[in-house]
């Protein structure tokens, strides 16, 4: 009925003119019941407007639907109750009575806009010059109530629509439930204030919850409209500014969803299965239908719901869907139940609450009965007696926003009180200065109020008209007794305080579920971020000699180090040396020992038979020198195996080529002596010079001194020292890499050290060739020649192989 008559009385209100004459008084007052039939009007010195969703949104073109008992009637009665308390309070607005004009928004922004025009009737100038009554008399205008401030609305979309009208006429507005961040814009909604915190605080609190849970990959779901879309936008904006949380999908529930729409939403959410956490800014009807769709899709336990204050601790969204809603985390502005209101509401009856024009409809709905023939529930099986009692014959629980409705009314009253104190000091009732209250001036008083609200919590406003952010964090839990309830698990007051230990998940599992795009990389692995999605990555192991330098990069270890076991750092490469027990040392040592023993045996034999003709004929002096060289060649093996040190490296340089130098110098002196003797014999019978044993020794040691001089020059140019060679055993597997401790003797230095011995060897070979034709009585010439030929062949093979192998190894290392 309200919807059918709305256009008629709306036009009457808009023009506020009743074409009637004084004699026709009955005609003049007849429309009044039609005007006020669907609104509440309380007389008073100061009239406050009220906007409440008494009815739900209608369907199929009908503006209003079914009655909303809690969000509509409870909140409406809270405003009436607050006005009663203020009017009875001798300290607050003494001698001033507050009145009210309360309208139904029917949960629809466009309908609420039409209704709100009622509040600006008194401020619109009327021109009746062209209007006449039937008898020709000028019309008489019914003077509308002047609204100084408005309490409401509930939905953010409604508040935004209404605020655009009220600001034009400078009428302050205080909402008890609208939380859209858009309303914080003081340039567009400068006359709007609210006693609930905006969704920007709520979005921050929800982001803090997500971060505390370790979730970094979430989806968002919003009901179409200012509340849902602004809330999600604030959440996404803050998450981008802070970082650490990525949005997998951002879905919107249409204002008029088609059949199967919610099943499609669940299917789309499952396209990103890792994003289990769903951030919801939706009205309770949409929440209920989303949960039902998840239940039908057999996704119970998959989604992790994080609901805004529109879910809060309400029972209606989770009725018969307890299993799929289990574990849901919800947020609600910090509040407390007002016990005085409970007593007041339980005492309401049909007889003592006639001022509420919707109370009879509430009575029928609440007690499931019918009031006479004109009742709203024609199909109800029983008639109402009027003796029913709220809380006794029906369930009752105070609606969550009752406290905020009362706080909004009290905020307006405190502002008027302070204004009255400043403008009408000592004047009983309203003084002339407040007979026409300036809305902009009243707004300044509203923004300055500070008092303890109906539940004892502080009430204040910032420069944008927003209340401070104070939230309770709930979780919907199913206990062991299979009873479901909302349990407080934390609070948020500019900072999150979350009791993770008190949280429970499906089947009582206390471990935290995950909602991440990618699992954390293991140690030694770097993250390769997926382009455009910083919370998604691929893990790549740091290979070879690389270690994990940071979360996103691998770096090469220093040359003398290798990655540790976890590849989170570098450690020194183990240093090894040739050990005496190694086969590579044992075999040469064994051969050297045999050689030394054999050489010693020959030396002892020579010494024992030193003066015999055969020893003297062999050239015993040169033989001793030759045996000394052979002994040194065998003895150098022990220096080459010994642990490198300054002393060992020094002796290596000295004795490395000295043994061969002794041997080749002795052989060269012998072959040179033989060659000179026979060459001289061809010319004369006189003996050549320097063929005596003393001369031979002098020549031999002269040749040896050249080697020693070269070694001393080498000492001066490049002092001996040890070095660790990491390239020799730098394998592809870092675990097998080793550094070799050795003397710092380069390959070139080694060849140069042996170069003089090679020169002696080549010269000796030349003389061996020259003396190959000597008589057989000089039989040592041929063995010397054979030895030199063999030695040259070995050296000619050794030098290219040695240098070629070294260069190949360098190329492999590089």
């Amino acid at each position: 009925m309200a919807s059918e008559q709305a256009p008629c009385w709306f036009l009457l209100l808009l023009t506020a003119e009743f074409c009637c004459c004084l004699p026709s008084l009955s005609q003049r007052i007849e429309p009044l019941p039609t005007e006020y039939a669907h609104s509440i009007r309380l007389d008073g010195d100061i009239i406050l407007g009220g906007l409440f969703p008494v009815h739900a949104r209608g369907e199929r073109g009908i503006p209003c639907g079914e009655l909303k008992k809690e969000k509509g009637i409870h909140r409406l009665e809270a405003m009436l109750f607050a006005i009663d308390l203020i009017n009875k309070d001798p300290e607050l607005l003494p001698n001033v009575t507050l009145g009210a004009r309360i309208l139904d928004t029917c949960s629809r922004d466009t309908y609420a806009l039409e209704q709100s025009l009622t509040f600006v009737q008194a401020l619109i100038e009327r021109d009746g010059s062209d209007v006449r009554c039937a008898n020709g008399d000028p019309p008489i205008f019914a003077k509308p109530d002047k609204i100084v401030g408005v309490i409401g609305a509930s939905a953010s979309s409604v508040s935004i629509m209404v605020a655009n009208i009220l600001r034009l006429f400078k009428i302050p507005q205080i909402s008890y439930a609208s939380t859209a961040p858009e309303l914080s814009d003081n340039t567009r909604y400068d006359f709007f204030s609210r006693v609930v915190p905006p969704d920007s605080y709520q979005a921050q609190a929800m982001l803090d919850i997500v971060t505390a849970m370790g979730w970094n990959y979430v989806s968002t779901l919003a009901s179409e409209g200012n509340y849902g879309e602004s809330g999600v936008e604030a959440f996404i904006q803050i998450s981008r500014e802070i970082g650490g949380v990525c949005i997998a999908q951002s879905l919107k529930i249409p204002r008029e969803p088609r059949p199967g729409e919610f099943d499609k939403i669940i299917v789309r959410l499952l396209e990103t299965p890792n994003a289990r956490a769903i951030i919801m800014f939706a009205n309770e009807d949409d929440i209920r239908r989303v949960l039902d769709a998840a239940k039908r899709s057999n996704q119970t336990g998959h989604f992790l719901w994080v609901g805004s204050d529109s879910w809060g601790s309400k029972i209606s969204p989770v009725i018969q869907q307890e299993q799929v809603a289990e574990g849901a985390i919800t947020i609600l502005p910090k509040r407390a139940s007002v016990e005085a209101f409970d007593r007041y509401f339980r005492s309401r009856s049909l007889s003592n609450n006639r001022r509420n024009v919707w109370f009879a409809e509430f009575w029928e709905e609440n007690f499931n009965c019918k009031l006479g023939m004109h009742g709203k529930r024609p199909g109800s099986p029983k008639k109402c007696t009027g003796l029913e009692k709220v809380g006794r014959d029906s369930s009752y629980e105070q609606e969550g926003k009752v406290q905020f409705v009362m706080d909004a009314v009290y905020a307006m009253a405190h502002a008027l009180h302070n204004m009255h104190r400043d403008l009408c000091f000592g004047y009983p009732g309203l003084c002339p200065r407040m007979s026409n209250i300036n809305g902009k001036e009243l707004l300044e008083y509203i923004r300055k109020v500070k008092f303890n609200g109906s539940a004892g919590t502080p009430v204040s406003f910032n420069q944008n008209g927003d209340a401070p952010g104070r939230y309770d964090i709930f979780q919907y839990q199913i206990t062991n007794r299979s009873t479901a309830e909302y349990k407080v698990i934390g609070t948020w007051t500019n900072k999150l305080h979350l009791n993770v230990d008190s949280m429970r998940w499906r089947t009582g599992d206390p471990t935290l579920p995950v909602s991440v795009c990618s699992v954390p990389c293991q140690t030694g692995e770097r993250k390769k971020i997926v382009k455009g999605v910083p919370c998604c990555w691929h893990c790549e192991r740091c290979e070879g000699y690389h270690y994990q330098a940071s979360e996103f990069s691998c770096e090469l270890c220093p040359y003398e180090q290798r990655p540790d076991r976890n590849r989170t750092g570098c450690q020194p490469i183990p240093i090894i040396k040739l050990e005496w027990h190694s086969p590579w040392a044992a075999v040469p040592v064994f051969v050297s020992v045999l050689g030394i023993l054999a050489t010693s045996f020959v030396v002892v034999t020579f010494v024992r038979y030193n003066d015999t003709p055969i020893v003297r004929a062999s050239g015993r002096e040169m033989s001793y020198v030759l045996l000394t060289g052979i002994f040194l060649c065998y003895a150098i093996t022990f220096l080459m195996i010994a642990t490198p040190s300054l002393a060992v490296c020094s002796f290596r340089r000295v004795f490395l080529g000295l043994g061969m130098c002794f041997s080749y110098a002795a052989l060269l002196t012998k072959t040179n002596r033989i060659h000179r003797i026979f060459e001289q014999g061809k010319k004369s019978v006189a003996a050549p010079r320097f063929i005596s044993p003393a001369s031979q020794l002098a020549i031999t040691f002269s040749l040896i001194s050249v080697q020693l001089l070269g070694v001393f020059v080498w000492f001066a140019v490049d002092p001996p020292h040890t070095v660790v060679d990491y390239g020799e055993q730098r394998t592809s597997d870092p675990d097998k890499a080793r550094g070799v401790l050795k003397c710092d003797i380069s390959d070139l230095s080694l060849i140069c050290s042996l170069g003089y011995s090679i020169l002696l060897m080549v010269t000796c070979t030349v003389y061996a060739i020259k003396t190959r034709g000597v008589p057989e009585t000089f039989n040592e010439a041929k063995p010397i020649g054979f030895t030199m030929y063999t030695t040259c062949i070995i050296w000619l093979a050794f030098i290219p192989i040695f240098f070629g192998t070294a260069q190949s190894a360098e190329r492999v290392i590089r």
Side-chain angles (χ1 to χ4, degrees):
M1 293 182 62
S3 62
E4 294 173 357
Q5 298 177 357
C8 297
W9 61 260
F10 169 68
L11 290 174
L12 289 172
L13 287 173
L14 184 61
T15 60
E17 54 184 339
F18 305 127
C19 293
C20 49
C21 304
L22 285 174
S24 307
L25 184 61
S26 60
Q27 295 178 353
R28 179 168 60 87
I29 64 174
E30 186 178 359
L32 290 177
T34 303
E35 178 187 355
Y36 298 118
H38 300 285
S39 66
I40 295 176
R41 184 174 185 275
L42 298 181
D43 289 329
D45 301 323
I46 298 175
I47 306 298
L48 301 181
L51 293 172
F52 295 92
V54 180
H55 292 88
R57 181 197 304 267
E59 297 180 355
R60 299 174 184 175
I62 301 175
C64 300
E66 61 184 13
L67 184 78
K68 303 181 82 168
K69 295 192 297 182
E70 289 82 14
K71 295 181 72 174
I73 300 300
H74 282 209
R75 295 179 182 181
L76 183 153
E77 287 291 342
M79 180 174 178
L80 296 176
F81 177 58
I83 290 176
D84 290 344
L85 293 179
I86 293 168
N87 288 336
K88 293 176 184 178
D89 190 345
E91 302 297 329
L92 187 60
L93 286 175
N95 301 314
V96 177
T97 303
L98 286 182
R101 184 70 184 277
I102 301 176
L103 304 176
D104 180 10
T105 65
C106 290
S107 306
R108 188 185 295 270
D109 51 3
T110 54
Y111 184 80
L113 179 62
E114 295 176 3
Q115 294 284 59
S116 65
L117 292 175
T118 304
F119 299 144
V120 301
Q121 291 285 314
L123 301 175
I124 298 177
E125 295 183 1
R126 303 167 185 81
D127 183 9
S129 59
D130 296 334
V131 180
R132 289 289 183 272
C133 292
N135 57 5
D137 294 336
I140 299 174
F141 292 99
K143 186 178 180 180
D145 296 322
K146 184 178 186 307
I147 307 299
V148 301
V150 174
I151 306 300
S154 177
S156 295
S157 58
V158 175
S159 288
I160 289 173
M161 192 74 80
V162 172
N164 286 317
I165 292 295
L166 297 182
R167 72 183 296 267
L168 296 177
F169 296 92
K170 295 181 173 55
I171 299 177
Q173 174 187 2
I174 303 179
S175 174
Y176 49 82
S178 299
T179 56
E182 183 180 350
L183 289 164
S184 297
D185 187 351
N186 205 34
T187 60
R188 295 176 58 194
Y189 307 102
D190 45 345
F191 280 81
F192 178 85
S193 304
R194 49 187 162 191
V195 291
V196 289
D199 285 339
S200 54
Y201 294 158
Q202 184 175 194
Q204 179 66 65
M206 295 173 77
L207 181 63
D208 289 347
I209 293 171
V210 168
T211 304
M213 299 299 294
W215 301 337
N216 66 2
Y217 197 52
V218 301
S219 293
T220 63
L221 187 59
S223 292
E224 186 177 3
N226 291 98
Y227 171 79
E229 295 177 45
S230 298
V232 165
E233 184 180 348
F235 181 88
I236 295 175
Q237 178 73 20
I238 297 173
S239 66
R240 286 175 178 170
E241 291 174 357
I242 298 178
V245 175
C246 298
I247 308 301
Q249 296 190 76
S250 188
L251 306 183
K252 187 189 300 182
I253 302 172
R255 197 183 300 270
E256 301 290 344
R258 299 176 181 176
E261 187 71 38
F262 291 91
D263 294 320
K264 293 179 182 178
I265 289 174
I266 296 299
V267 171
R268 288 194 60 188
L269 290 175
L270 290 174
E271 292 176 359
T272 51
N274 287 347
R276 295 177 59 194
I278 311 298
I279 311 302
M280 297 185 69
F281 282 86
N283 59 59
E284 57 185 279
D285 294 333
D286 288 344
I287 294 170
R288 184 175 64 254
R289 287 182 280 186
V290 167
L291 293 178
D292 187 48
K295 184 178 179 181
R296 288 196 304 271
S297 301
N298 197 26
Q299 295 301 321
T300 300
H302 173 75
F303 293 111
L304 306 170
W305 311 105
V306 182
S308 62
D309 62 345
S310 60
W311 185 337
S313 59
K314 295 174 184 173
I315 300 298
S316 57
V318 297
I319 290 178
Q320 298 181 347
Q321 299 180 111
E322 291 81 3
Q323 297 294 329
V324 72
E326 183 182 3
I329 300 173
T330 61
I331 189 172
L332 199 61
K334 201 170 187 65
R335 67 187 188 191
S337 180
V338 183
E339 295 182 3
F341 176 80
D342 291 338
R343 293 191 297 269
Y344 162 81
F345 195 79
R346 286 192 176 100
S347 68
R348 297 297 88 189
S349 66
L350 292 172
S351 60
N352 65 11
N353 198 21
R354 294 183 180 274
R355 62 183 179 179
N356 186 345
V357 297
W358 297 288
F359 199 71
E361 187 179 353
F362 165 79
W363 199 266
E364 291 182 328
E365 184 77 22
N366 193 53
F367 297 107
N368 194 22
C369 60
K370 182 174 65 173
L371 285 170
M373 296 179 59
H374 302 288
K376 299 287 185 179
R377 299 174 63 86
S380 180
K382 65 177 181 178
K383 291 186 178 181
C384 302
T385 64
L387 300 177
E388 295 87 358
K389 189 173 180 62
V390 175
R392 183 191 67 186
D393 302 316
S394 66
S395 61
Y396 167 77
E397 183 179 356
Q398 186 180 127
E399 200 275 333
K401 292 292 193 299
V402 164
Q403 169 198 344
F404 300 109
V405 174
M406 296 183 65
D407 288 346
V409 177
Y410 266 89
M412 192 72 75
H414 277 281
L416 289 167
H417 177 81
N418 295 337
M419 188 177 190
H420 182 271
R421 183 187 58 199
D422 294 343
L423 301 182
C424 306
F425 183 75
Y427 191 94
L430 289 181
C431 64
R433 294 183 65 184
M434 285 190 67
S435 60
N436 189 15
I437 296 175
N438 185 303
K440 191 169 185 180
E441 191 174 356
L442 177 59
L443 177 66
E444 295 177 1
Y445 281 97
I446 290 174
R447 296 290 171 85
K448 294 177 182 178
V449 297
K450 287 185 180 180
F451 63 97
N452 287 329
S454 54
T457 56
V459 177
S460 62
F461 303 98
N462 63 11
Q463 67 273 16
N464 295 323
D466 295 329
R470 292 187 292 267
Y471 296 96
D472 284 324
I473 314 298
F474 296 87
Q475 187 184 38
Y476 190 67
Q477 299 180 358
I478 298 179
T479 63
N480 295 331
R481 298 189 299 273
S482 298
T483 58
E485 62 178 352
Y486 289 97
K487 184 176 180 181
V488 177
I489 58 171
T491 60
W492 190 92
T493 307
N494 298 323
K495 185 179 181 182
L496 179 66
H497 301 278
L498 192 64
N499 185 5
V500 179
D501 295 335
S502 65
M503 302 180 75
R504 291 293 179 270
W505 305 96
R506 192 163 186 262
T507 67
D509 186 4
T511 59
L512 294 180
V514 296
S515 180
V516 296
C517 181
S518 303
V519 296
C521 293
Q522 299 180 357
T523 55
E525 295 180 341
R526 75 177 185 93
K527 291 180 180 178
K528 186 177 181 181
I529 301 297
V530 177
K531 188 175 182 180
V533 189
C535 298
C536 300
W537 58 78
H538 302 295
C539 296
E540 291 186 350
R541 185 161 181 80
C542 299
E543 298 292 346
Y545 288 83
H546 292 78
Y547 73 99
Q548 184 184 359
S550 67
E551 191 177 7
F552 304 100
S553 65
C554 296
E555 292 186 4
L556 186 65
C557 286
Y559 190 70
E560 70 279 2
Q561 295 183 349
R562 65 180 183 183
D564 56 21
R565 184 177 297 275
N566 295 327
R567 290 187 176 270
T568 55
C570 297
Q571 60 184 8
I573 295 177
I575 298 174
I576 61 172
K577 54 183 176 43
L578 188 60
E579 301 291 344
W580 293 99
H581 55 77
S582 170
W584 297 101
V587 173
V589 166
F590 177 74
V591 174
S592 297
V593 169
L594 291 180
I596 290 173
L597 291 176
T599 304
S600 300
F601 175 76
V602 173
V603 170
V604 170
T605 302
F606 264 65
V607 171
R608 182 177 179 181
Y609 300 100
N610 188 54
D611 293 328
T612 59
I614 190 171
V615 171
R616 294 176 64 182
S618 64
R620 57 186 175 184
E621 291 79 6
M622 289 298 99
S623 296
Y624 284 131
V625 173
L626 181 61
L627 288 172
T628 301
I630 296 173
F631 180 86
L632 290 176
C633 287
Y634 284 120
I636 192 64
T637 302
F638 297 94
L639 286 175
M640 300 301 291
I641 297 175
T643 301
S645 64
L646 180 61
V648 170
C649 291
S650 300
F651 282 118
R652 281 187 188 180
R653 288 193 181 186
V654 172
F655 292 102
L656 182 60
L658 191 61
M660 285 184 286
C661 185
F662 265 78
S663 301
Y664 294 140
L667 291 176
L668 176 59
T669 303
K670 276 193 171 188
T671 53
N672 175 264
R673 176 174 174 272
I674 295 172
H675 176 264
R676 286 191 295 113
I677 289 174
F678 284 97
E679 284 296 318
Q680 184 68 22
K682 293 178 182 179
K683 299 176 182 180
S684 66
V685 295
R689 300 171 59 189
F690 309 119
I691 59 172
S692 65
S695 300
Q696 296 294 298
L697 287 175
I699 295 172
T700 300
F701 283 110
S702 297
L703 295 174
I704 294 172
S705 64
V706 174
Q707 170 73 18
L708 292 175
L709 179 62
V711 170
F712 291 138
V713 172
W714 186 11
F715 269 77
V717 174
D718 183 17
H721 60 276
T722 59
V723 67
V724 179
D725 184 0
Y726 293 99
E728 183 175 334
Q729 296 194 31
R730 192 175 180 84
T731 60
S732 58
D733 183 2
D735 291 337
K736 297 179 180 179
R738 298 292 184 271
V740 181
L741 179 63
K742 56 174 64 175
C743 293
D744 186 22
I745 302 177
S746 64
D747 297 337
L748 182 61
S749 300
L750 178 64
I751 294 300
C752 291
S753 176
L754 298 175
Y756 182 66
S757 298
I758 294 173
L759 178 62
L760 294 177
M761 176 195 69
V762 172
T763 307
C764 184
T765 302
V766 171
Y767 279 108
I769 294 172
K770 289 183 177 182
T771 57
R772 67 184 183 280
V774 299
E776 292 183 359
T777 52
F778 289 90
N779 53 7
E780 68 175 345
K782 290 183 179 180
I784 291 174
F786 178 76
T787 300
M788 290 300 101
Y789 305 152
T790 306
T791 304
C792 286
I793 293 172
I794 293 174
W795 273 101
L796 288 174
F798 169 74
I799 292 176
I801 291 174
F802 180 83
F803 278 100
T805 305
Q807 291 177 358
S808 298
E810 287 182 5
R811 284 195 295 270
V812 170
I813 292 171
R814 291 173 183 171

